[in-house]
Amino acid sequence: MGLSLSDIEQLFATKGGEQYTGEPVTQLEHALQSAMLAEDEGASDALVTAALLHDLGHLLHDLGATPTLQGVDDVHQYRALPFLRGLYGDDVLDPIKLHVDAKRYLCATRAEYFAALSDDSKRSLALQGGIFSPGQADVFIRQPGAEAAVRLRIWDDLAKADGLATPPLAHFMERARRCAIAP
């Protein structure tokens, strides 16, 4: 069953107040900060929407507050895709699908990247397959949507600032409406 735009708003209303695992922000604050960072860099409606929705999969499972502490990869990058397919095209879905592998790529290609990850991001990295080899990194970056996923991943990492003011959800949902393929 696919989600509608109003379903997405309701999901953020009911579950967005949950703590973003291991970080000083809620799920909604993280989503809004990610979208704001994308918007501030002049990203398209589709990429701003991907930034807003990239962790929606965390809101769609019941694995507890910190699955990584239980040794569980919640595969959140894939969990939301069936719910969003039909509402959005690949320009939104590919960066969401690839944002976890983008972390693996950035660890392989930027020496300082791994050290800057939060503890929970380092735990999840190990559960998600670890740092890419040079060959894996090369294959990854050649995929459609990979460059957008790398941009999204950088915003994702920065979107953990306690108390940062952002536009409200309604602001970003308007951008999400503009790029939806089915209202």
Side-chain angles (χ1 to χ4, degrees):
M1 175 185 128
L3 292 173
S4 68
L5 292 164
S6 61
D7 293 334
I8 292 169
E9 289 174 305
Q10 184 60 38
L11 191 56
F12 276 122
T14 57
K15 294 189 132 189
E18 294 176 3
Q19 192 68 30
Y20 184 78
T21 303
E23 306 297 345
V25 294
T26 66
Q27 291 285 344
L28 178 59
E29 289 168 333
H30 176 67
L32 295 175
Q33 287 181 26
S34 296
M36 182 179 75
L37 290 164
E39 186 173 75
D40 288 351
E41 283 195 24
S44 67
D45 285 341
L47 193 48
V48 171
T49 300
L52 179 70
L53 303 178
H54 76 279
D55 279 345
L56 199 67
H58 287 309
L59 305 181
L60 295 170
H61 69 64
D62 293 317
L63 297 174
T66 312
T68 61
L69 288 176
Q70 303 165 39
V72 173
D73 175 10
D74 69 2
V75 294
H76 70 282
Q77 70 274 28
Y78 302 119
R79 191 172 302 274
L81 296 179
F83 296 96
L84 296 173
R85 196 167 277 116
L87 183 59
Y88 294 110
D90 291 343
D91 54 348
V92 172
L93 300 180
D94 285 348
I96 293 172
K97 175 179 69 178
L98 297 173
H99 82 277
V100 166
D101 281 348
K103 174 173 60 173
R104 300 175 69 199
Y105 169 82
L106 286 165
C107 285
T109 59
R110 297 184 185 178
E112 73 288 351
Y113 183 81
F114 177 81
L117 290 175
S118 69
D119 290 341
D120 193 64
S121 285
K122 288 176 182 174
R123 272 194 307 275
S124 65
L125 174 66
L127 295 169
Q128 294 158 342
I131 299 170
F132 276 154
S133 70
Q136 290 170 315
D138 186 54
V139 168
F140 166 79
I141 202 63
R142 293 174 190 264
Q143 294 179 82
E147 293 283 349
V150 169
R151 290 178 69 196
L152 170 55
R153 184 69 220 185
I154 292 167
W155 300 322
D156 180 8
D157 293 326
L158 296 172
K160 299 171 184 176
D162 186 21
L164 181 65
T166 64
L169 179 60
H171 170 79
F172 296 112
M173 289 305 296
E174 182 53 39
R175 293 191 75 156
R177 278 181 186 80
R178 289 196 301 254
C179 67
I181 57 176

PDB file of all heavy atoms in Angstrom, residues 98-136:
ATOM      1  N   LEU A  98      19.980   4.962  -2.030  1.00  0.00           N
ATOM      2  CA  LEU A  98      21.443   4.891  -2.066  1.00  0.00           C
ATOM      3  C   LEU A  98      22.139   5.675  -0.953  1.00  0.00           C
ATOM      4  O   LEU A  98      23.369   5.655  -0.885  1.00  0.00           O
ATOM      5  CB  LEU A  98      21.941   5.389  -3.428  1.00  0.00           C
ATOM      6  CG  LEU A  98      21.504   4.552  -4.638  1.00  0.00           C
ATOM      7  CD1 LEU A  98      21.919   5.231  -5.928  1.00  0.00           C
ATOM      8  CD2 LEU A  98      22.045   3.140  -4.551  1.00  0.00           C
ATOM      9  N   HIS A  99      21.408   6.351  -0.058  1.00  0.00           N
ATOM     10  CA  HIS A  99      22.090   7.214   0.909  1.00  0.00           C
ATOM     11  C   HIS A  99      22.925   6.436   1.925  1.00  0.00           C
ATOM     12  O   HIS A  99      23.913   6.952   2.438  1.00  0.00           O
ATOM     13  CB  HIS A  99      21.125   8.198   1.587  1.00  0.00           C
ATOM     14  CG  HIS A  99      20.343   7.669   2.733  1.00  0.00           C
ATOM     15  ND1 HIS A  99      19.173   6.961   2.584  1.00  0.00           N
ATOM     16  CD2 HIS A  99      20.558   7.777   4.068  1.00  0.00           C
ATOM     17  CE1 HIS A  99      18.698   6.648   3.769  1.00  0.00           C
ATOM     18  NE2 HIS A  99      19.519   7.125   4.688  1.00  0.00           N
ATOM     19  N   VAL A 100      22.577   5.193   2.210  1.00  0.00           N
ATOM     20  CA  VAL A 100      23.396   4.376   3.112  1.00  0.00           C
ATOM     21  C   VAL A 100      24.695   3.976   2.406  1.00  0.00           C
ATOM     22  O   VAL A 100      25.779   4.089   2.973  1.00  0.00           O
ATOM     23  CB  VAL A 100      22.612   3.149   3.614  1.00  0.00           C
ATOM     24  CG1 VAL A 100      23.531   2.131   4.266  1.00  0.00           C
ATOM     25  CG2 VAL A 100      21.530   3.594   4.592  1.00  0.00           C
ATOM     26  N   ASP A 101      24.582   3.519   1.173  1.00  0.00           N
ATOM     27  CA  ASP A 101      25.794   3.179   0.418  1.00  0.00           C
ATOM     28  C   ASP A 101      26.652   4.410   0.163  1.00  0.00           C
ATOM     29  O   ASP A 101      27.877   4.298   0.032  1.00  0.00           O
ATOM     30  CB  ASP A 101      25.441   2.477  -0.893  1.00  0.00           C
ATOM     31  CG  ASP A 101      25.094   1.011  -0.687  1.00  0.00           C
ATOM     32  OD1 ASP A 101      25.344   0.470   0.416  1.00  0.00           O
ATOM     33  OD2 ASP A 101      24.566   0.390  -1.632  1.00  0.00           O
ATOM     34  N   ALA A 102      26.038   5.585   0.106  1.00  0.00           N
ATOM     35  CA  ALA A 102      26.817   6.817  -0.044  1.00  0.00           C
ATOM     36  C   ALA A 102      27.738   7.025   1.164  1.00  0.00           C
ATOM     37  O   ALA A 102      28.853   7.526   1.010  1.00  0.00           O
ATOM     38  CB  ALA A 102      25.900   8.018  -0.228  1.00  0.00           C
ATOM     39  N   LYS A 103      27.293   6.631   2.345  1.00  0.00           N
ATOM     40  CA  LYS A 103      28.165   6.708   3.531  1.00  0.00           C
ATOM     41  C   LYS A 103      29.348   5.765   3.358  1.00  0.00           C
ATOM     42  O   LYS A 103      30.496   6.145   3.632  1.00  0.00           O
ATOM     43  CB  LYS A 103      27.370   6.347   4.791  1.00  0.00           C
ATOM     44  CG  LYS A 103      28.216   6.266   6.050  1.00  0.00           C
ATOM     45  CD  LYS A 103      27.399   6.085   7.325  1.00  0.00           C
ATOM     46  CE  LYS A 103      26.577   4.848   7.340  1.00  0.00           C
ATOM     47  NZ  LYS A 103      25.925   4.603   8.647  1.00  0.00           N
ATOM     48  N   ARG A 104      29.105   4.575   2.870  1.00  0.00           N
ATOM     49  CA  ARG A 104      30.174   3.597   2.632  1.00  0.00           C
ATOM     50  C   ARG A 104      31.160   4.138   1.589  1.00  0.00           C
ATOM     51  O   ARG A 104      32.374   3.958   1.715  1.00  0.00           O
ATOM     52  CB  ARG A 104      29.564   2.274   2.176  1.00  0.00           C
ATOM     53  CG  ARG A 104      28.612   1.675   3.213  1.00  0.00           C
ATOM     54  CD  ARG A 104      27.909   0.436   2.716  1.00  0.00           C
ATOM     55  NE  ARG A 104      28.887  -0.633   2.589  1.00  0.00           N
ATOM     56  CZ  ARG A 104      28.693  -1.720   1.846  1.00  0.00           C
ATOM     57  NH1 ARG A 104      27.583  -1.882   1.154  1.00  0.00           N
ATOM     58  NH2 ARG A 104      29.633  -2.645   1.786  1.00  0.00           N
ATOM     59  N   TYR A 105      30.621   4.815   0.572  1.00  0.00           N
ATOM     60  CA  TYR A 105      31.430   5.422  -0.479  1.00  0.00           C
ATOM     61  C   TYR A 105      32.286   6.563   0.079  1.00  0.00           C
ATOM     62  O   TYR A 105      33.494   6.636  -0.195  1.00  0.00           O
ATOM     63  CB  TYR A 105      30.513   5.932  -1.589  1.00  0.00           C
ATOM     64  CG  TYR A 105      31.200   6.802  -2.609  1.00  0.00           C
ATOM     65  CD1 TYR A 105      31.924   6.241  -3.648  1.00  0.00           C
ATOM     66  CD2 TYR A 105      31.135   8.192  -2.524  1.00  0.00           C
ATOM     67  CE1 TYR A 105      32.566   7.035  -4.590  1.00  0.00           C
ATOM     68  CE2 TYR A 105      31.769   8.996  -3.459  1.00  0.00           C
ATOM     69  CZ  TYR A 105      32.486   8.405  -4.484  1.00  0.00           C
ATOM     70  OH  TYR A 105      33.124   9.204  -5.403  1.00  0.00           O
ATOM     71  N   LEU A 106      31.667   7.446   0.840  1.00  0.00           N
ATOM     72  CA  LEU A 106      32.404   8.591   1.388  1.00  0.00           C
ATOM     73  C   LEU A 106      33.513   8.142   2.336  1.00  0.00           C
ATOM     74  O   LEU A 106      34.590   8.745   2.357  1.00  0.00           O
ATOM     75  CB  LEU A 106      31.444   9.556   2.086  1.00  0.00           C
ATOM     76  CG  LEU A 106      30.577  10.384   1.137  1.00  0.00           C
ATOM     77  CD1 LEU A 106      29.409  11.024   1.882  1.00  0.00           C
ATOM     78  CD2 LEU A 106      31.411  11.437   0.430  1.00  0.00           C
ATOM     79  N   CYS A 107      33.270   7.097   3.097  1.00  0.00           N
ATOM     80  CA  CYS A 107      34.326   6.563   3.971  1.00  0.00           C
ATOM     81  C   CYS A 107      35.505   6.047   3.147  1.00  0.00           C
ATOM     82  O   CYS A 107      36.659   6.156   3.569  1.00  0.00           O
ATOM     83  CB  CYS A 107      33.778   5.437   4.851  1.00  0.00           C
ATOM     84  SG  CYS A 107      32.732   5.987   6.214  1.00  0.00           S
ATOM     85  N   ALA A 108      35.206   5.508   1.979  1.00  0.00           N
ATOM     86  CA  ALA A 108      36.255   4.962   1.112  1.00  0.00           C
ATOM     87  C   ALA A 108      37.019   6.030   0.355  1.00  0.00           C
ATOM     88  O   ALA A 108      38.183   5.818  -0.013  1.00  0.00           O
ATOM     89  CB  ALA A 108      35.637   3.977   0.118  1.00  0.00           C
ATOM     90  N   THR A 109      36.388   7.174   0.119  1.00  0.00           N
ATOM     91  CA  THR A 109      36.995   8.165  -0.770  1.00  0.00           C
ATOM     92  C   THR A 109      37.448   9.450  -0.079  1.00  0.00           C
ATOM     93  O   THR A 109      38.146  10.254  -0.697  1.00  0.00           O
ATOM     94  CB  THR A 109      36.021   8.538  -1.906  1.00  0.00           C
ATOM     95  OG1 THR A 109      34.811   9.069  -1.344  1.00  0.00           O
ATOM     96  CG2 THR A 109      35.697   7.320  -2.768  1.00  0.00           C
ATOM     97  N   ARG A 110      37.048   9.655   1.154  1.00  0.00           N
ATOM     98  CA  ARG A 110      37.438  10.862   1.891  1.00  0.00           C
ATOM     99  C   ARG A 110      38.002  10.444   3.249  1.00  0.00           C
ATOM    100  O   ARG A 110      37.254  10.011   4.130  1.00  0.00           O
ATOM    101  CB  ARG A 110      36.253  11.809   2.087  1.00  0.00           C
ATOM    102  CG  ARG A 110      35.702  12.330   0.779  1.00  0.00           C
ATOM    103  CD  ARG A 110      34.615  13.334   1.000  1.00  0.00           C
ATOM    104  NE  ARG A 110      34.025  13.732  -0.277  1.00  0.00           N
ATOM    105  CZ  ARG A 110      33.023  14.564  -0.387  1.00  0.00           C
ATOM    106  NH1 ARG A 110      32.487  15.118   0.686  1.00  0.00           N
ATOM    107  NH2 ARG A 110      32.534  14.868  -1.579  1.00  0.00           N
ATOM    108  N   ALA A 111      39.290  10.599   3.404  1.00  0.00           N
ATOM    109  CA  ALA A 111      39.979  10.111   4.602  1.00  0.00           C
ATOM    110  C   ALA A 111      39.378  10.646   5.902  1.00  0.00           C
ATOM    111  O   ALA A 111      39.309   9.930   6.898  1.00  0.00           O
ATOM    112  CB  ALA A 111      41.462  10.468   4.521  1.00  0.00           C
ATOM    113  N   GLU A 112      38.924  11.881   5.905  1.00  0.00           N
ATOM    114  CA  GLU A 112      38.420  12.503   7.138  1.00  0.00           C
ATOM    115  C   GLU A 112      36.959  12.156   7.435  1.00  0.00           C
ATOM    116  O   GLU A 112      36.467  12.416   8.532  1.00  0.00           O
ATOM    117  CB  GLU A 112      38.569  14.023   7.055  1.00  0.00           C
ATOM    118  CG  GLU A 112      37.595  14.726   6.107  1.00  0.00           C
ATOM    119  CD  GLU A 112      37.833  14.536   4.608  1.00  0.00           C
ATOM    120  OE1 GLU A 112      38.870  13.974   4.202  1.00  0.00           O
ATOM    121  OE2 GLU A 112      36.961  14.948   3.829  1.00  0.00           O
ATOM    122  N   TYR A 113      36.282  11.555   6.500  1.00  0.00           N
ATOM    123  CA  TYR A 113      34.845  11.342   6.634  1.00  0.00           C
ATOM    124  C   TYR A 113      34.486  10.401   7.786  1.00  0.00           C
ATOM    125  O   TYR A 113      33.622  10.707   8.604  1.00  0.00           O
ATOM    126  CB  TYR A 113      34.253  10.830   5.316  1.00  0.00           C
ATOM    127  CG  TYR A 113      32.759  10.675   5.375  1.00  0.00           C
ATOM    128  CD1 TYR A 113      31.915  11.773   5.211  1.00  0.00           C
ATOM    129  CD2 TYR A 113      32.184   9.441   5.629  1.00  0.00           C
ATOM    130  CE1 TYR A 113      30.535  11.641   5.284  1.00  0.00           C
ATOM    131  CE2 TYR A 113      30.806   9.300   5.698  1.00  0.00           C
ATOM    132  CZ  TYR A 113      29.995  10.404   5.525  1.00  0.00           C
ATOM    133  OH  TYR A 113      28.636  10.260   5.625  1.00  0.00           O
ATOM    134  N   PHE A 114      35.134   9.258   7.859  1.00  0.00           N
ATOM    135  CA  PHE A 114      34.807   8.266   8.894  1.00  0.00           C
ATOM    136  C   PHE A 114      34.962   8.849  10.292  1.00  0.00           C
ATOM    137  O   PHE A 114      34.107   8.653  11.152  1.00  0.00           O
ATOM    138  CB  PHE A 114      35.685   7.012   8.751  1.00  0.00           C
ATOM    139  CG  PHE A 114      35.431   5.997   9.834  1.00  0.00           C
ATOM    140  CD1 PHE A 114      34.350   5.118   9.740  1.00  0.00           C
ATOM    141  CD2 PHE A 114      36.258   5.921  10.952  1.00  0.00           C
ATOM    142  CE1 PHE A 114      34.108   4.187  10.738  1.00  0.00           C
ATOM    143  CE2 PHE A 114      36.010   4.991  11.955  1.00  0.00           C
ATOM    144  CZ  PHE A 114      34.938   4.128  11.846  1.00  0.00           C
ATOM    145  N   ALA A 115      36.038   9.579  10.529  1.00  0.00           N
ATOM    146  CA  ALA A 115      36.295  10.137  11.866  1.00  0.00           C
ATOM    147  C   ALA A 115      35.203  11.105  12.303  1.00  0.00           C
ATOM    148  O   ALA A 115      34.937  11.248  13.496  1.00  0.00           O
ATOM    149  CB  ALA A 115      37.649  10.836  11.889  1.00  0.00           C
ATOM    150  N   ALA A 116      34.530  11.742  11.352  1.00  0.00           N
ATOM    151  CA  ALA A 116      33.496  12.721  11.682  1.00  0.00           C
ATOM    152  C   ALA A 116      32.127  12.083  11.936  1.00  0.00           C
ATOM    153  O   ALA A 116      31.214  12.765  12.394  1.00  0.00           O
ATOM    154  CB  ALA A 116      33.393  13.753  10.562  1.00  0.00           C
ATOM    155  N   LEU A 117      31.981  10.790  11.666  1.00  0.00           N
ATOM    156  CA  LEU A 117      30.689  10.138  11.879  1.00  0.00           C
ATOM    157  C   LEU A 117      30.372  10.025  13.359  1.00  0.00           C
ATOM    158  O   LEU A 117      31.265   9.846  14.190  1.00  0.00           O
ATOM    159  CB  LEU A 117      30.703   8.727  11.270  1.00  0.00           C
ATOM    160  CG  LEU A 117      30.725   8.622   9.759  1.00  0.00           C
ATOM    161  CD1 LEU A 117      30.852   7.155   9.343  1.00  0.00           C
ATOM    162  CD2 LEU A 117      29.486   9.245   9.143  1.00  0.00           C
ATOM    163  N   SER A 118      29.085  10.080  13.678  1.00  0.00           N
ATOM    164  CA  SER A 118      28.648   9.867  15.058  1.00  0.00           C
ATOM    165  C   SER A 118      28.855   8.399  15.421  1.00  0.00           C
ATOM    166  O   SER A 118      29.041   7.540  14.549  1.00  0.00           O
ATOM    167  CB  SER A 118      27.171  10.241  15.212  1.00  0.00           C
ATOM    168  OG  SER A 118      26.359   9.306  14.523  1.00  0.00           O
ATOM    169  N   ASP A 119      28.818   8.103  16.708  1.00  0.00           N
ATOM    170  CA  ASP A 119      28.991   6.719  17.158  1.00  0.00           C
ATOM    171  C   ASP A 119      27.947   5.796  16.547  1.00  0.00           C
ATOM    172  O   ASP A 119      28.266   4.687  16.123  1.00  0.00           O
ATOM    173  CB  ASP A 119      28.948   6.632  18.687  1.00  0.00           C
ATOM    174  CG  ASP A 119      30.176   7.253  19.346  1.00  0.00           C
ATOM    175  OD1 ASP A 119      31.207   7.419  18.657  1.00  0.00           O
ATOM    176  OD2 ASP A 119      30.096   7.561  20.549  1.00  0.00           O
ATOM    177  N   ASP A 120      26.691   6.252  16.503  1.00  0.00           N
ATOM    178  CA  ASP A 120      25.648   5.404  15.934  1.00  0.00           C
ATOM    179  C   ASP A 120      25.863   5.193  14.438  1.00  0.00           C
ATOM    180  O   ASP A 120      25.626   4.097  13.926  1.00  0.00           O
ATOM    181  CB  ASP A 120      24.253   5.978  16.202  1.00  0.00           C
ATOM    182  CG  ASP A 120      23.182   4.949  15.896  1.00  0.00           C
ATOM    183  OD1 ASP A 120      23.152   3.905  16.577  1.00  0.00           O
ATOM    184  OD2 ASP A 120      22.393   5.174  14.959  1.00  0.00           O
ATOM    185  N   SER A 121      26.324   6.217  13.730  1.00  0.00           N
ATOM    186  CA  SER A 121      26.611   6.058  12.302  1.00  0.00           C
ATOM    187  C   SER A 121      27.752   5.070  12.077  1.00  0.00           C
ATOM    188  O   SER A 121      27.726   4.305  11.107  1.00  0.00           O
ATOM    189  CB  SER A 121      26.959   7.403  11.660  1.00  0.00           C
ATOM    190  OG  SER A 121      25.806   8.172  11.477  1.00  0.00           O
ATOM    191  N   LYS A 122      28.730   5.067  12.967  1.00  0.00           N
ATOM    192  CA  LYS A 122      29.824   4.089  12.851  1.00  0.00           C
ATOM    193  C   LYS A 122      29.317   2.671  13.124  1.00  0.00           C
ATOM    194  O   LYS A 122      29.703   1.725  12.429  1.00  0.00           O
ATOM    195  CB  LYS A 122      30.958   4.448  13.801  1.00  0.00           C
ATOM    196  CG  LYS A 122      31.728   5.676  13.361  1.00  0.00           C
ATOM    197  CD  LYS A 122      32.793   6.056  14.371  1.00  0.00           C
ATOM    198  CE  LYS A 122      33.519   7.322  13.926  1.00  0.00           C
ATOM    199  NZ  LYS A 122      34.475   7.801  14.946  1.00  0.00           N
ATOM    200  N   ARG A 123      28.442   2.517  14.128  1.00  0.00           N
ATOM    201  CA  ARG A 123      27.861   1.196  14.407  1.00  0.00           C
ATOM    202  C   ARG A 123      27.041   0.718  13.216  1.00  0.00           C
ATOM    203  O   ARG A 123      27.159  -0.438  12.793  1.00  0.00           O
ATOM    204  CB  ARG A 123      26.958   1.252  15.642  1.00  0.00           C
ATOM    205  CG  ARG A 123      27.640   1.034  16.952  1.00  0.00           C
ATOM    206  CD  ARG A 123      26.650   0.762  18.080  1.00  0.00           C
ATOM    207  NE  ARG A 123      25.608   1.761  18.206  1.00  0.00           N
ATOM    208  CZ  ARG A 123      25.713   2.896  18.889  1.00  0.00           C
ATOM    209  NH1 ARG A 123      26.836   3.174  19.535  1.00  0.00           N
ATOM    210  NH2 ARG A 123      24.713   3.755  18.944  1.00  0.00           N
ATOM    211  N   SER A 124      26.203   1.606  12.685  1.00  0.00           N
ATOM    212  CA  SER A 124      25.359   1.193  11.559  1.00  0.00           C
ATOM    213  C   SER A 124      26.209   0.896  10.325  1.00  0.00           C
ATOM    214  O   SER A 124      25.888  -0.019   9.564  1.00  0.00           O
ATOM    215  CB  SER A 124      24.278   2.232  11.259  1.00  0.00           C
ATOM    216  OG  SER A 124      24.818   3.448  10.819  1.00  0.00           O
ATOM    217  N   LEU A 125      27.303   1.624  10.123  1.00  0.00           N
ATOM    218  CA  LEU A 125      28.193   1.371   8.995  1.00  0.00           C
ATOM    219  C   LEU A 125      28.677  -0.080   9.003  1.00  0.00           C
ATOM    220  O   LEU A 125      28.654  -0.754   7.968  1.00  0.00           O
ATOM    221  CB  LEU A 125      29.389   2.330   9.024  1.00  0.00           C
ATOM    222  CG  LEU A 125      30.490   2.097   7.990  1.00  0.00           C
ATOM    223  CD1 LEU A 125      29.965   2.355   6.585  1.00  0.00           C
ATOM    224  CD2 LEU A 125      31.687   2.988   8.296  1.00  0.00           C
ATOM    225  N   ALA A 126      29.081  -0.557  10.154  1.00  0.00           N
ATOM    226  CA  ALA A 126      29.548  -1.944  10.254  1.00  0.00           C
ATOM    227  C   ALA A 126      28.423  -2.918   9.899  1.00  0.00           C
ATOM    228  O   ALA A 126      28.650  -3.905   9.184  1.00  0.00           O
ATOM    229  CB  ALA A 126      30.071  -2.216  11.658  1.00  0.00           C
ATOM    230  N   LEU A 127      27.223  -2.642  10.365  1.00  0.00           N
ATOM    231  CA  LEU A 127      26.071  -3.506  10.086  1.00  0.00           C
ATOM    232  C   LEU A 127      25.637  -3.426   8.624  1.00  0.00           C
ATOM    233  O   LEU A 127      25.046  -4.375   8.094  1.00  0.00           O
ATOM    234  CB  LEU A 127      24.896  -3.121  10.994  1.00  0.00           C
ATOM    235  CG  LEU A 127      25.108  -3.342  12.484  1.00  0.00           C
ATOM    236  CD1 LEU A 127      24.003  -2.668  13.284  1.00  0.00           C
ATOM    237  CD2 LEU A 127      25.185  -4.829  12.802  1.00  0.00           C
ATOM    238  N   GLN A 128      25.926  -2.316   7.983  1.00  0.00           N
ATOM    239  CA  GLN A 128      25.502  -2.087   6.596  1.00  0.00           C
ATOM    240  C   GLN A 128      26.526  -2.571   5.571  1.00  0.00           C
ATOM    241  O   GLN A 128      26.357  -2.340   4.379  1.00  0.00           O
ATOM    242  CB  GLN A 128      25.205  -0.596   6.395  1.00  0.00           C
ATOM    243  CG  GLN A 128      24.010  -0.130   7.202  1.00  0.00           C
ATOM    244  CD  GLN A 128      23.975   1.379   7.459  1.00  0.00           C
ATOM    245  OE1 GLN A 128      24.987   2.072   7.337  1.00  0.00           O
ATOM    246  NE2 GLN A 128      22.816   1.868   7.842  1.00  0.00           N
ATOM    247  N   GLY A 129      27.574  -3.218   6.017  1.00  0.00           N
ATOM    248  CA  GLY A 129      28.548  -3.785   5.092  1.00  0.00           C
ATOM    249  C   GLY A 129      29.925  -3.165   5.158  1.00  0.00           C
ATOM    250  O   GLY A 129      30.841  -3.610   4.480  1.00  0.00           O
ATOM    251  N   GLY A 130      30.094  -2.114   5.954  1.00  0.00           N
ATOM    252  CA  GLY A 130      31.405  -1.505   6.127  1.00  0.00           C
ATOM    253  C   GLY A 130      31.806  -0.601   4.973  1.00  0.00           C
ATOM    254  O   GLY A 130      31.022  -0.326   4.061  1.00  0.00           O
ATOM    255  N   ILE A 131      33.031  -0.148   5.044  1.00  0.00           N
ATOM    256  CA  ILE A 131      33.577   0.784   4.053  1.00  0.00           C
ATOM    257  C   ILE A 131      33.775   0.055   2.726  1.00  0.00           C
ATOM    258  O   ILE A 131      34.267  -1.074   2.683  1.00  0.00           O
ATOM    259  CB  ILE A 131      34.917   1.361   4.563  1.00  0.00           C
ATOM    260  CG1 ILE A 131      34.681   2.128   5.864  1.00  0.00           C
ATOM    261  CG2 ILE A 131      35.581   2.236   3.507  1.00  0.00           C
ATOM    262  CD1 ILE A 131      35.952   2.541   6.592  1.00  0.00           C
ATOM    263  N   PHE A 132      33.391   0.711   1.644  1.00  0.00           N
ATOM    264  CA  PHE A 132      33.581   0.145   0.310  1.00  0.00           C
ATOM    265  C   PHE A 132      35.060  -0.028  -0.006  1.00  0.00           C
ATOM    266  O   PHE A 132      35.891   0.795   0.379  1.00  0.00           O
ATOM    267  CB  PHE A 132      32.992   1.074  -0.762  1.00  0.00           C
ATOM    268  CG  PHE A 132      31.513   0.926  -1.004  1.00  0.00           C
ATOM    269  CD1 PHE A 132      30.802   2.000  -1.507  1.00  0.00           C
ATOM    270  CD2 PHE A 132      30.824  -0.257  -0.775  1.00  0.00           C
ATOM    271  CE1 PHE A 132      29.446   1.903  -1.770  1.00  0.00           C
ATOM    272  CE2 PHE A 132      29.474  -0.369  -1.027  1.00  0.00           C
ATOM    273  CZ  PHE A 132      28.773   0.708  -1.530  1.00  0.00           C
ATOM    274  N   SER A 133      35.360  -1.062  -0.757  1.00  0.00           N
ATOM    275  CA  SER A 133      36.684  -1.197  -1.363  1.00  0.00           C
ATOM    276  C   SER A 133      36.752  -0.188  -2.503  1.00  0.00           C
ATOM    277  O   SER A 133      35.713   0.332  -2.945  1.00  0.00           O
ATOM    278  CB  SER A 133      36.860  -2.617  -1.913  1.00  0.00           C
ATOM    279  OG  SER A 133      36.010  -2.793  -3.048  1.00  0.00           O
ATOM    280  N   PRO A 134      37.944   0.097  -3.021  1.00  0.00           N
ATOM    281  CA  PRO A 134      38.026   1.011  -4.170  1.00  0.00           C
ATOM    282  C   PRO A 134      37.161   0.563  -5.352  1.00  0.00           C
ATOM    283  O   PRO A 134      36.501   1.386  -5.992  1.00  0.00           O
ATOM    284  CB  PRO A 134      39.515   1.022  -4.522  1.00  0.00           C
ATOM    285  CG  PRO A 134      40.195   0.736  -3.216  1.00  0.00           C
ATOM    286  CD  PRO A 134      39.287  -0.250  -2.520  1.00  0.00           C
ATOM    287  N   GLY A 135      37.123  -0.719  -5.629  1.00  0.00           N
ATOM    288  CA  GLY A 135      36.297  -1.219  -6.728  1.00  0.00           C
ATOM    289  C   GLY A 135      34.811  -1.031  -6.468  1.00  0.00           C
ATOM    290  O   GLY A 135      34.054  -0.652  -7.373  1.00  0.00           O
ATOM    291  N   GLN A 136      34.381  -1.308  -5.233  1.00  0.00           N
ATOM    292  CA  GLN A 136      32.976  -1.102  -4.875  1.00  0.00           C
ATOM    293  C   GLN A 136      32.600   0.371  -4.973  1.00  0.00           C
ATOM    294  O   GLN A 136      31.499   0.714  -5.421  1.00  0.00           O
ATOM    295  CB  GLN A 136      32.705  -1.609  -3.461  1.00  0.00           C
ATOM    296  CG  GLN A 136      32.759  -3.109  -3.311  1.00  0.00           C
ATOM    297  CD  GLN A 136      32.712  -3.522  -1.846  1.00  0.00           C
ATOM    298  OE1 GLN A 136      33.396  -2.954  -0.990  1.00  0.00           O
ATOM    299  NE2 GLN A 136      31.901  -4.528  -1.565  1.00  0.00           N
TER     300      GLN A 136
END
